[in-house]
Each structure stands twice: as C-alpha cells, then as structure tokens.
Amino acid sequence: LAAIVAVVNIATNARRHRTLVQLRSEAVKEQRRRVVQVLKTENETLSKTLRSAAHSYCDGNDLVEYPLPKYDKCPSNSTLNIIPFHEGMTTGLRYVLLGALMSFQESRCFAISKDPKKPLDLLSSSILTEYFEEIGLAHDDNFVKKAMMDGRYEVRNWKQLLSDVMLSRIEAIKYDYHTFAYTHPKHAVDGLTLKRDFLRHMWHLLPLYRENVCITLKDEEIFDTDYIALSIRRGDLSKKLESVKTMGEYIRETERVLPLIFDKGQTPKIFVATDDCAMVDILRKHRPHWTIKSQCDQLNIMQKGYSKDELKALTKEQRDEHFRKFFVELYALAFSKVFIGVSHTNVAWFAYMMRPNVDRSTFILLDYINDPKERMHDPTMIW
C-alpha cells in the first residue's frame, strides 16, 4: 500500500510540475505579446504619462496631491503601535507601509523603532530621519512619551503583516479605507492601488535629495526622453540565490523591446541601476553602440555589490553618496518606458509601486520564483 501511495504521489507531483511549466510558458507569452501591443499602439500615450509623472514630481506637485498622512490625530489614550525598522531601506519601508495602514485602521498612531531586536529603542536618528519627511510619530512626541510611560503600546511583528492577506493588502481584496490619518477616495479600492497611493503620501524625500534626483535625471539626459531601465542586483543576494540573471539574459530581453521604442533609427538609450558597477562596464563592452547611462559613473569609489553589513561601516559622506545614487536609480527605474529586472529584490517592487499607472507588461521580470501567474499579474502577492 505504501508503495502504491508513493507512486501516486510521484505521478501527482509530476502533473503539478507540468501544469506549472505550462502556466509559466503561457504567462511569458502573454507578457511579451502584451508589451509588444502596448509599445506599438500606445507608445506616445505611454511617453506622455511617464514624462508627466516625472515633471509632477520635480515640480513638487505630488506634495500637494499626496500630502503627508495625519500621523498625530489618533484618539487620546489609544494604544501606540511600535513598528521595527528593518534595513535595507526598501525592505524596511515595506513593513512600515503595511504597519502604517494596519495602525490607522486600528485607530492607532505608530512610532518606528530602529532595531527589530530592540523594539522599545525608538527611532531618533537613522536613514529615515536623515533622508525623508516625517514618517509616523517622533520618539520625543508627547503622545509617544506618555503611551510608553503608561504601557499603552504594542510591538507589531512583520511576520503578522505578511502572513495575513488582509494586512498584506493583496490586489484581490477590496477595501473601504477611511481612517483618522488617511482616507482613500475610492470605494472598494483594491489592495494594490491602496498601497500605491498611500506610498505616495508616506514617502517623500527631503527637499535637498529631491532636488538632487531631478537635477541628476536631467544631467543624465534621460528626463523627457524614452529609455529602457535595467535593475541589476548582485551583492549579498548573489551568494544566497542560484537564480541570479546573467548579462546575456538582460541583453536578450532588452533587444526584444528595443526596436519598438527606438523605431526611427535613434541610438538606444539604457539606464542601468546596479549595486555592482562592474555590470555597467560589461554591458558597454557587449553593446558599445548603445547609449548607457548609470550613476556608477559619478561615484568616487566603485560599488562592488550591496551588503547591509558594509553599509553600516560607511562614513556619513560615503553613506550620503550611496543613497543619493540609490534615490536617482529608484526614480529612473520608476519613470522608464520599460523596466527589466528581477523579483528577488525589494528595489524592483518599490520601483513598481512608484511607477505611474501604466500597463503592467512594461514591468518585466527575468525570473519567476513563485507561481508565474501571480508573479506576472499580481506583484502584491510578493511586495
């Protein structure tokens, strides 16, 4: 009997594998069919939408359209949520985003702790306070101090945010989101749209870094132009994953869409965002006839792959250089006509959430770690 069960299980698993392979193949075909259709029939509209979004950001219009949430309007004597900040930056902001939406729906304010291992050590100075407008209540806010003194606080675990589909805000679930701090204007808004719109309210660079982003985008000669953006992640993830994509795979995927964007004989323009600047040299060697833009060209010290431990060891000046480059890359990825990257980095998902509401087929992932249908059509199952 045990042998029969084993044979049945093997056969069942084989059928599931074949189904998965078929779904993956169909998803890839649909993605490529759709992006071709969009670039052929909606090319001009796509360009206008992306350029309008870039101008809106650099003109400061999004600060008017997406003001900061009313972090301090929670009911008196309510419980304070404490959300630990996980570095790197996009990972930490992901949990803060979900934690903020959860807190407001519970009629609670929140404060951020700077170390998941020391959740009561509230944030006073970190990469959040150095580079961004206010997020949550400050550590010295009167409400925070009184709540901590009275014991009216709860430390929230990031695992809870990801394991509960209602809290992770997937696209398949609809919400009427009306809270003291933030109200979404749409009735029955899907989780993806809720997160995208709330991120724009929560995440604002300080003026100095915003201006640097906009000046640099113009200096790189990609502002008001069509370009393809490549997000190439190496660093510590290269040691953890077997599915790191080769430069050949990036080039092949780029050349699938390149003729549809630069269809009048223009020199192809490619922006490369990477934590390993050697990737830029490799791409230039293989495609010398492309115009390749990268913030790697502006660095005093060439990056050789991102590592959280190495980031902690940087001086203030080195850290500023690192994040100035990173912010420019994020917005360049978000405003690109076509994004090509991988799913195993939060940078990709952050860029996805920051993109204007353009067709999803223009956001291309080279790997499909999870179910391909979810990967291709519902990124919020991951981010």
Side-chain angles (χ1 to χ4, degrees):
L1 180 59
I4 293 174
V5 171
V7 171
V8 171
N9 286 339
I10 291 172
T12 300
N13 289 335
R15 284 196 298 272
R16 287 175 178 169
H17 178 72
R18 287 195 296 271
T19 301
L20 181 62
V21 170
Q22 183 179 0
L23 280 173
R24 176 172 300 196
S25 177
E26 290 172 357
V28 170
K29 289 178 182 177
E30 171 59 21
Q31 166 99 6
R32 288 178 174 158
R33 183 199 66 78
R34 178 62 185 163
V35 74
V36 168
Q37 179 184 4
V38 168
L39 293 176
K40 280 185 175 180
T41 63
E42 304 173 27
N43 204 1
E44 186 174 341
T45 300
L46 181 60
S47 293
K48 288 181 179 178
T49 299
L50 292 163
R51 293 171 191 177
S52 175
H55 277 282
S56 179
Y57 175 74
C58 289
D59 292 343
N61 294 334
D62 67 323
L63 288 170
V64 176
E65 187 175 358
Y66 299 102
L68 290 171
K70 300 173 183 176
Y71 292 119
D72 61 347
K73 300 301 182 183
C74 49
S76 59
N77 297 321
S78 58
T79 300
L80 173 73
N81 277 344
I82 297 176
I83 303 172
F85 183 74
H86 294 250
E87 298 183 14
M89 182 179 289
T90 50
T91 302
L93 285 169
R94 174 191 185 190
Y95 299 141
V96 171
L97 171 70
L98 295 176
L101 289 170
M102 174 188 67
S103 298
F104 296 156
Q105 204 157 37
E106 295 173 339
S107 295
R108 296 181 177 185
C109 286
F110 72 92
I112 303 171
S113 67
K114 58 185 177 184
D115 187 345
K117 297 179 181 178
K118 300 176 182 178
L120 300 187
D121 189 4
L122 297 186
L123 198 69
S124 57
S125 177
S126 77
I127 58 175
L128 286 186
T129 56
E130 289 179 25
Y131 300 110
F132 304 114
E133 300 283 0
E134 166 191 16
I135 300 178
L137 294 181
H139 75 290
D140 57 353
D141 181 90
N142 288 333
F143 181 93
V144 173
K145 290 191 289 187
K146 190 171 189 309
M148 298 295 286
M149 185 180 301
D150 295 345
R152 288 184 292 102
Y153 62 84
E154 182 180 358
V155 178
R156 309 310 292 260
N157 191 312
W158 65 268
K159 294 180 180 178
Q160 177 189 7
L161 297 171
L162 299 187
S163 61
D164 186 332
V165 292
M166 291 297 294
L167 296 180
S168 59
R169 314 286 173 177
I170 65 171
E171 186 177 22
I173 297 179
K174 309 295 183 182
Y175 302 84
D176 286 327
Y177 196 87
H178 304 282
T179 71
F180 68 88
Y182 171 69
T183 293
H184 197 282
K186 185 178 178 181
H187 169 67
V189 61
D190 67 83
L192 172 63
T193 302
L194 175 62
K195 285 191 291 190
R196 286 171 68 104
D197 289 347
F198 182 72
L199 178 67
R200 287 163 167 77
H201 286 275
M202 185 189 83
W203 198 78
H204 291 288
L205 289 177
L206 291 172
L208 173 65
Y209 299 103
R210 169 191 289 264
E211 290 173 12
N212 179 72
V213 166
C214 295
I215 290 171
T216 305
L217 290 178
K218 293 174 182 177
D219 288 346
E220 290 281 14
E221 298 179 344
I222 60 174
F223 204 79
D224 276 340
T225 69
D226 289 339
Y227 63 96
I228 298 169
L230 309 184
S231 174
I232 305 176
R233 180 75 161 88
R234 290 294 187 264
D236 50 11
L237 283 185
S238 299
K239 302 172 184 177
K240 299 177 183 178
L241 298 171
E242 297 179 359
S243 57
V244 174
K245 301 293 105 176
T246 66
M247 183 58 70
E249 291 173 276
Y250 278 94
I251 290 173
R252 284 194 294 274
E253 199 62 39
T254 300
E255 290 180 335
R256 291 180 188 275
V257 297
L258 190 148
L260 301 169
I261 298 174
F262 308 102
D263 57 351
K264 296 180 174 63
Q266 312 99 308
T267 300
K269 187 175 290 186
I270 314 296
F271 182 90
V272 180
T274 181
D275 60 341
D276 184 351
C277 292
M279 297 297 104
V280 180
D281 295 333
I282 292 172
L283 182 59
R284 284 175 172 152
K285 177 181 177 181
H286 288 288
R287 291 297 182 272
H289 55 287
W290 291 357
T291 297
I292 297 171
K293 300 290 185 178
S294 175
Q295 280 295 282
C296 284
D297 297 332
Q298 311 303 322
L299 296 178
N300 293 318
I301 301 175
M302 190 175 79
Q303 291 182 347
K304 298 180 181 180
Y306 171 76
S307 165
K308 288 188 286 186
D309 292 336
E310 291 178 6
L311 180 61
K312 293 176 183 178
L314 296 180
T315 65
K316 177 66 166 65
E317 291 73 19
Q318 291 170 331
R319 191 169 71 250
D320 278 352
E321 182 181 65
H322 170 89
F323 282 116
R324 284 175 184 268
K325 169 182 176 289
F326 179 68
F327 298 145
V328 170
E329 290 178 335
L330 270 181
Y331 280 97
L333 294 173
F335 297 144
S336 62
K337 178 155 275 189
V338 172
F339 168 100
I340 299 175
V342 291
S343 63
H344 55 250
T345 167
N346 278 305
V347 173
W349 301 115
F350 206 87
Y352 177 88
M353 299 295 281
M354 291 166 58
R355 279 176 77 75
N357 292 321
V358 295
D359 197 281
R360 292 188 193 181
S361 65
T362 60
F363 182 83
I364 299 173
L365 298 172
L366 296 178
D367 63 319
Y368 313 119
I369 296 174
N370 288 346
D371 178 85
K373 212 67 177 176
E374 292 178 350
R375 248 328 185 200
M376 301 297 289
H377 297 292
D378 188 4
T380 56
M381 293 300 292
I382 308 302
W383 207 83

